[in-house]
Amino acid sequence: MITKKNLIFLGAPGAGKGTLAQILCEKEKLAHISTGDILRAEIAKGSELGKKAKHYVTTGGLVPDEIVAEMVASRLTQPDCKPGFALDGFPRTIPQAELLDKALAKIAKKIDAVVYFHAGEELLISRLTARLTCKKCGSNFNRIYSPPAKEGVCDRCGGELYQRPDDSLETAKNRLKLYNEQTAPLIPYYRSKGMLSQLDASMSKDKSYPALLALLK
Ligand code: AMP
């Protein structure tokens, strides 16, 4: 039984935020808000937002703060966020965290916990470059650590698995560099507010999921 339900999942790409957010949100009926998933869907649709975001997403850069913050602010007003939500991949900069606070204040909500997924850089690179993502439902697998039962097919929905272009070695390294420069400062930012809990993200999901639940009690 968890009591903390308005959540931020913070951590480097490849730390496993998306995987645990998906499991948690399904079981606890929370809204899973992955800004990366939303942006990829907008790019696939060819929407105005997708056109603005495409260059940043494909090169592993960060989409401008105002664009993502507005996208999240609008998403948070959807009815499925009422029981709670897990923000996965947002905020990624201090200005985004400040814009989030403003958006939450407008709808009289607050964050209950920020979970920091901690893992070493070598593990992150090996996870990212071997990651396989479902085209249909966004589930993640890994060629080495958690291969799907049938090659190329999603265990969850039967969709086709692919390697995200930004999971290539070069782009993954660029994303980690940006994470260290722009996102890591959010760790002391939320710690100083007494909101941060740390999760050892080097564990497999069978071990890290119970550890996550314990943090959210
Ligand atoms: P992710 O799926 O979280 O790894 O995000 C994939 C890509 O989407 C990132 O490399 C960025 O280009 C973009 N993106 C996702 N979330 C954000 C964010 N909060 N701020 C800026 N760019 C983002």
Side-chain angles (χ1 to χ4, degrees), residues 14-39:
K17 304 181 299 294
T19 302
L20 287 202
Q22 193 177 50
I23 301 172
L24 178 78
C25 292
E26 225 167 74
K27 295 205 166 142
E28 301 289 331
K29 307 277 177 276
L30 309 179
H32 177 192
I33 306 178
S34 157
T35 42
D37 282 352
I38 300 173
L39 289 166

PDB file of all heavy atoms in Angstrom, residues 14-39:
ATOM      1  N   GLY A  14      18.404   5.380 -18.923  1.00  0.00           N
ATOM      2  CA  GLY A  14      18.889   4.005 -18.733  1.00  0.00           C
ATOM      3  C   GLY A  14      18.827   3.555 -17.284  1.00  0.00           C
ATOM      4  O   GLY A  14      19.141   2.403 -16.974  1.00  0.00           O
ATOM      5  N   ALA A  15      18.397   4.432 -16.373  1.00  0.00           N
ATOM      6  CA  ALA A  15      18.369   4.053 -14.956  1.00  0.00           C
ATOM      7  C   ALA A  15      17.173   3.148 -14.624  1.00  0.00           C
ATOM      8  O   ALA A  15      17.131   2.564 -13.548  1.00  0.00           O
ATOM      9  CB  ALA A  15      18.348   5.303 -14.078  1.00  0.00           C
ATOM     10  N   GLY A  16      16.215   3.063 -15.538  1.00  0.00           N
ATOM     11  CA  GLY A  16      15.077   2.164 -15.301  1.00  0.00           C
ATOM     12  C   GLY A  16      13.828   2.887 -14.808  1.00  0.00           C
ATOM     13  O   GLY A  16      12.883   2.250 -14.336  1.00  0.00           O
ATOM     14  N   LYS A  17      13.792   4.205 -14.941  1.00  0.00           N
ATOM     15  CA  LYS A  17      12.630   4.988 -14.486  1.00  0.00           C
ATOM     16  C   LYS A  17      11.366   4.553 -15.220  1.00  0.00           C
ATOM     17  O   LYS A  17      10.331   4.348 -14.618  1.00  0.00           O
ATOM     18  CB  LYS A  17      12.820   6.495 -14.759  1.00  0.00           C
ATOM     19  CG  LYS A  17      14.049   7.106 -14.164  1.00  0.00           C
ATOM     20  CD  LYS A  17      14.134   8.600 -14.455  1.00  0.00           C
ATOM     21  CE  LYS A  17      14.201   8.985 -15.920  1.00  0.00           C
ATOM     22  NZ  LYS A  17      15.421   8.567 -16.634  1.00  0.00           N
ATOM     23  N   GLY A  18      11.486   4.444 -16.537  1.00  0.00           N
ATOM     24  CA  GLY A  18      10.324   4.126 -17.369  1.00  0.00           C
ATOM     25  C   GLY A  18       9.766   2.751 -17.047  1.00  0.00           C
ATOM     26  O   GLY A  18       8.549   2.571 -16.950  1.00  0.00           O
ATOM     27  N   THR A  19      10.662   1.783 -16.869  1.00  0.00           N
ATOM     28  CA  THR A  19      10.234   0.410 -16.595  1.00  0.00           C
ATOM     29  C   THR A  19       9.463   0.346 -15.281  1.00  0.00           C
ATOM     30  O   THR A  19       8.348  -0.185 -15.221  1.00  0.00           O
ATOM     31  CB  THR A  19      11.475  -0.517 -16.546  1.00  0.00           C
ATOM     32  OG1 THR A  19      12.145  -0.404 -17.793  1.00  0.00           O
ATOM     33  CG2 THR A  19      11.094  -1.956 -16.282  1.00  0.00           C
ATOM     34  N   LEU A  20      10.025   0.936 -14.220  1.00  0.00           N
ATOM     35  CA  LEU A  20       9.326   0.870 -12.927  1.00  0.00           C
ATOM     36  C   LEU A  20       8.082   1.765 -12.913  1.00  0.00           C
ATOM     37  O   LEU A  20       7.078   1.420 -12.293  1.00  0.00           O
ATOM     38  CB  LEU A  20      10.257   1.248 -11.773  1.00  0.00           C
ATOM     39  CG  LEU A  20      11.332   0.220 -11.387  1.00  0.00           C
ATOM     40  CD1 LEU A  20      11.802   0.448  -9.959  1.00  0.00           C
ATOM     41  CD2 LEU A  20      10.885  -1.216 -11.538  1.00  0.00           C
ATOM     42  N   ALA A  21       8.135   2.880 -13.618  1.00  0.00           N
ATOM     43  CA  ALA A  21       6.957   3.762 -13.664  1.00  0.00           C
ATOM     44  C   ALA A  21       5.795   3.013 -14.317  1.00  0.00           C
ATOM     45  O   ALA A  21       4.656   3.098 -13.855  1.00  0.00           O
ATOM     46  CB  ALA A  21       7.264   5.036 -14.446  1.00  0.00           C
ATOM     47  N   GLN A  22       6.110   2.277 -15.376  1.00  0.00           N
ATOM     48  CA  GLN A  22       5.040   1.549 -16.074  1.00  0.00           C
ATOM     49  C   GLN A  22       4.405   0.496 -15.156  1.00  0.00           C
ATOM     50  O   GLN A  22       3.185   0.389 -15.080  1.00  0.00           O
ATOM     51  CB  GLN A  22       5.609   0.892 -17.322  1.00  0.00           C
ATOM     52  CG  GLN A  22       4.520   0.399 -18.254  1.00  0.00           C
ATOM     53  CD  GLN A  22       5.090  -0.189 -19.526  1.00  0.00           C
ATOM     54  OE1 GLN A  22       5.982  -1.027 -19.479  1.00  0.00           O
ATOM     55  NE2 GLN A  22       4.579   0.242 -20.653  1.00  0.00           N
ATOM     56  N   ILE A  23       5.252  -0.252 -14.435  1.00  0.00           N
ATOM     57  CA  ILE A  23       4.724  -1.297 -13.542  1.00  0.00           C
ATOM     58  C   ILE A  23       3.907  -0.657 -12.418  1.00  0.00           C
ATOM     59  O   ILE A  23       2.776  -1.046 -12.132  1.00  0.00           O
ATOM     60  CB  ILE A  23       5.883  -2.136 -12.932  1.00  0.00           C
ATOM     61  CG1 ILE A  23       6.718  -2.802 -14.029  1.00  0.00           C
ATOM     62  CG2 ILE A  23       5.338  -3.195 -11.964  1.00  0.00           C
ATOM     63  CD1 ILE A  23       7.989  -3.480 -13.531  1.00  0.00           C
ATOM     64  N   LEU A  24       4.484   0.363 -11.786  1.00  0.00           N
ATOM     65  CA  LEU A  24       3.818   1.014 -10.655  1.00  0.00           C
ATOM     66  C   LEU A  24       2.469   1.609 -11.075  1.00  0.00           C
ATOM     67  O   LEU A  24       1.457   1.420 -10.398  1.00  0.00           O
ATOM     68  CB  LEU A  24       4.715   2.126 -10.092  1.00  0.00           C
ATOM     69  CG  LEU A  24       4.113   2.902  -8.931  1.00  0.00           C
ATOM     70  CD1 LEU A  24       4.225   2.101  -7.634  1.00  0.00           C
ATOM     71  CD2 LEU A  24       4.785   4.258  -8.739  1.00  0.00           C
ATOM     72  N   CYS A  25       2.470   2.314 -12.197  1.00  0.00           N
ATOM     73  CA  CYS A  25       1.253   3.015 -12.615  1.00  0.00           C
ATOM     74  C   CYS A  25       0.150   2.031 -12.999  1.00  0.00           C
ATOM     75  O   CYS A  25      -1.022   2.287 -12.737  1.00  0.00           O
ATOM     76  CB  CYS A  25       1.561   3.986 -13.753  1.00  0.00           C
ATOM     77  SG  CYS A  25       2.575   5.351 -13.179  1.00  0.00           S
ATOM     78  N   GLU A  26       0.550   0.921 -13.589  1.00  0.00           N
ATOM     79  CA  GLU A  26      -0.451  -0.077 -13.947  1.00  0.00           C
ATOM     80  C   GLU A  26      -1.076  -0.665 -12.682  1.00  0.00           C
ATOM     81  O   GLU A  26      -2.290  -0.778 -12.572  1.00  0.00           O
ATOM     82  CB  GLU A  26       0.223  -1.186 -14.757  1.00  0.00           C
ATOM     83  CG  GLU A  26      -0.572  -1.576 -15.981  1.00  0.00           C
ATOM     84  CD  GLU A  26       0.269  -2.422 -16.915  1.00  0.00           C
ATOM     85  OE1 GLU A  26       0.504  -3.617 -16.587  1.00  0.00           O
ATOM     86  OE2 GLU A  26       0.700  -1.890 -17.945  1.00  0.00           O
ATOM     87  N   LYS A  27      -0.212  -1.017 -11.719  1.00  0.00           N
ATOM     88  CA  LYS A  27      -0.722  -1.665 -10.495  1.00  0.00           C
ATOM     89  C   LYS A  27      -1.488  -0.702  -9.605  1.00  0.00           C
ATOM     90  O   LYS A  27      -2.461  -1.090  -8.964  1.00  0.00           O
ATOM     91  CB  LYS A  27       0.447  -2.273  -9.716  1.00  0.00           C
ATOM     92  CG  LYS A  27       1.095  -3.409 -10.508  1.00  0.00           C
ATOM     93  CD  LYS A  27       1.793  -4.411  -9.623  1.00  0.00           C
ATOM     94  CE  LYS A  27       2.094  -5.666 -10.434  1.00  0.00           C
ATOM     95  NZ  LYS A  27       3.351  -6.288 -10.156  1.00  0.00           N
ATOM     96  N   GLU A  28      -1.027   0.534  -9.509  1.00  0.00           N
ATOM     97  CA  GLU A  28      -1.615   1.490  -8.563  1.00  0.00           C
ATOM     98  C   GLU A  28      -2.615   2.435  -9.225  1.00  0.00           C
ATOM     99  O   GLU A  28      -3.111   3.357  -8.586  1.00  0.00           O
ATOM    100  CB  GLU A  28      -0.521   2.318  -7.880  1.00  0.00           C
ATOM    101  CG  GLU A  28       0.505   1.491  -7.106  1.00  0.00           C
ATOM    102  CD  GLU A  28      -0.066   0.863  -5.833  1.00  0.00           C
ATOM    103  OE1 GLU A  28      -1.004   1.443  -5.253  1.00  0.00           O
ATOM    104  OE2 GLU A  28       0.409  -0.211  -5.442  1.00  0.00           O
ATOM    105  N   LYS A  29      -2.842   2.239 -10.518  1.00  0.00           N
ATOM    106  CA  LYS A  29      -3.794   3.080 -11.279  1.00  0.00           C
ATOM    107  C   LYS A  29      -3.407   4.564 -11.231  1.00  0.00           C
ATOM    108  O   LYS A  29      -4.232   5.440 -10.960  1.00  0.00           O
ATOM    109  CB  LYS A  29      -5.235   2.915 -10.756  1.00  0.00           C
ATOM    110  CG  LYS A  29      -5.699   1.467 -10.692  1.00  0.00           C
ATOM    111  CD  LYS A  29      -6.205   1.001 -12.048  1.00  0.00           C
ATOM    112  CE  LYS A  29      -6.604  -0.459 -12.072  1.00  0.00           C
ATOM    113  NZ  LYS A  29      -5.500  -1.409 -12.296  1.00  0.00           N
ATOM    114  N   LEU A  30      -2.142   4.810 -11.468  1.00  0.00           N
ATOM    115  CA  LEU A  30      -1.663   6.190 -11.552  1.00  0.00           C
ATOM    116  C   LEU A  30      -1.413   6.512 -13.017  1.00  0.00           C
ATOM    117  O   LEU A  30      -1.238   5.611 -13.843  1.00  0.00           O
ATOM    118  CB  LEU A  30      -0.345   6.356 -10.773  1.00  0.00           C
ATOM    119  CG  LEU A  30      -0.292   5.844  -9.331  1.00  0.00           C
ATOM    120  CD1 LEU A  30       1.098   6.063  -8.739  1.00  0.00           C
ATOM    121  CD2 LEU A  30      -1.345   6.526  -8.473  1.00  0.00           C
ATOM    122  N   ALA A  31      -1.344   7.804 -13.327  1.00  0.00           N
ATOM    123  CA  ALA A  31      -1.040   8.194 -14.715  1.00  0.00           C
ATOM    124  C   ALA A  31       0.475   8.189 -14.900  1.00  0.00           C
ATOM    125  O   ALA A  31       1.198   8.785 -14.100  1.00  0.00           O
ATOM    126  CB  ALA A  31      -1.608   9.578 -14.989  1.00  0.00           C
ATOM    127  N   HIS A  32       0.927   7.501 -15.943  1.00  0.00           N
ATOM    128  CA  HIS A  32       2.362   7.475 -16.252  1.00  0.00           C
ATOM    129  C   HIS A  32       2.627   8.583 -17.275  1.00  0.00           C
ATOM    130  O   HIS A  32       2.169   8.504 -18.410  1.00  0.00           O
ATOM    131  CB  HIS A  32       2.730   6.099 -16.823  1.00  0.00           C
ATOM    132  CG  HIS A  32       4.163   5.980 -17.245  1.00  0.00           C
ATOM    133  ND1 HIS A  32       4.640   4.939 -17.996  1.00  0.00           N
ATOM    134  CD2 HIS A  32       5.236   6.780 -17.008  1.00  0.00           C
ATOM    135  CE1 HIS A  32       5.935   5.100 -18.213  1.00  0.00           C
ATOM    136  NE2 HIS A  32       6.323   6.217 -17.622  1.00  0.00           N
ATOM    137  N   ILE A  33       3.347   9.600 -16.848  1.00  0.00           N
ATOM    138  CA  ILE A  33       3.602  10.729 -17.751  1.00  0.00           C
ATOM    139  C   ILE A  33       5.075  10.726 -18.142  1.00  0.00           C
ATOM    140  O   ILE A  33       5.941  11.203 -17.403  1.00  0.00           O
ATOM    141  CB  ILE A  33       3.212  12.072 -17.093  1.00  0.00           C
ATOM    142  CG1 ILE A  33       1.760  12.002 -16.599  1.00  0.00           C
ATOM    143  CG2 ILE A  33       3.420  13.223 -18.079  1.00  0.00           C
ATOM    144  CD1 ILE A  33       1.284  13.271 -15.892  1.00  0.00           C
ATOM    145  N   SER A  34       5.354  10.126 -19.298  1.00  0.00           N
ATOM    146  CA  SER A  34       6.722  10.096 -19.813  1.00  0.00           C
ATOM    147  C   SER A  34       6.828  11.162 -20.894  1.00  0.00           C
ATOM    148  O   SER A  34       6.200  11.046 -21.954  1.00  0.00           O
ATOM    149  CB  SER A  34       7.025   8.714 -20.399  1.00  0.00           C
ATOM    150  OG  SER A  34       8.077   8.817 -21.344  1.00  0.00           O
ATOM    151  N   THR A  35       7.615  12.198 -20.630  1.00  0.00           N
ATOM    152  CA  THR A  35       7.713  13.279 -21.623  1.00  0.00           C
ATOM    153  C   THR A  35       8.373  12.752 -22.901  1.00  0.00           C
ATOM    154  O   THR A  35       8.012  13.167 -23.997  1.00  0.00           O
ATOM    155  CB  THR A  35       8.481  14.492 -21.054  1.00  0.00           C
ATOM    156  OG1 THR A  35       9.600  14.028 -20.311  1.00  0.00           O
ATOM    157  CG2 THR A  35       7.590  15.320 -20.169  1.00  0.00           C
ATOM    158  N   GLY A  36       9.312  11.793 -22.756  1.00  0.00           N
ATOM    159  CA  GLY A  36       9.949  11.205 -23.941  1.00  0.00           C
ATOM    160  C   GLY A  36       8.911  10.494 -24.808  1.00  0.00           C
ATOM    161  O   GLY A  36       8.880  10.668 -26.031  1.00  0.00           O
ATOM    162  N   ASP A  37       8.014   9.712 -24.176  1.00  0.00           N
ATOM    163  CA  ASP A  37       6.970   8.988 -24.926  1.00  0.00           C
ATOM    164  C   ASP A  37       6.031   9.984 -25.621  1.00  0.00           C
ATOM    165  O   ASP A  37       5.653   9.790 -26.782  1.00  0.00           O
ATOM    166  CB  ASP A  37       6.122   8.108 -23.995  1.00  0.00           C
ATOM    167  CG  ASP A  37       6.839   6.818 -23.610  1.00  0.00           C
ATOM    168  OD1 ASP A  37       7.915   6.536 -24.163  1.00  0.00           O
ATOM    169  OD2 ASP A  37       6.314   6.101 -22.720  1.00  0.00           O
ATOM    170  N   ILE A  38       5.660  11.045 -24.898  1.00  0.00           N
ATOM    171  CA  ILE A  38       4.728  12.025 -25.492  1.00  0.00           C
ATOM    172  C   ILE A  38       5.396  12.682 -26.708  1.00  0.00           C
ATOM    173  O   ILE A  38       4.799  12.802 -27.777  1.00  0.00           O
ATOM    174  CB  ILE A  38       4.304  13.106 -24.465  1.00  0.00           C
ATOM    175  CG1 ILE A  38       3.600  12.462 -23.271  1.00  0.00           C
ATOM    176  CG2 ILE A  38       3.391  14.154 -25.120  1.00  0.00           C
ATOM    177  CD1 ILE A  38       3.283  13.436 -22.127  1.00  0.00           C
ATOM    178  N   LEU A  39       6.671  13.053 -26.538  1.00  0.00           N
ATOM    179  CA  LEU A  39       7.365  13.728 -27.649  1.00  0.00           C
ATOM    180  C   LEU A  39       7.530  12.791 -28.853  1.00  0.00           C
ATOM    181  O   LEU A  39       7.307  13.202 -29.992  1.00  0.00           O
ATOM    182  CB  LEU A  39       8.736  14.234 -27.179  1.00  0.00           C
ATOM    183  CG  LEU A  39       8.685  15.420 -26.202  1.00  0.00           C
ATOM    184  CD1 LEU A  39      10.029  15.635 -25.527  1.00  0.00           C
ATOM    185  CD2 LEU A  39       8.256  16.694 -26.938  1.00  0.00           C
TER     186      LEU A  39
END
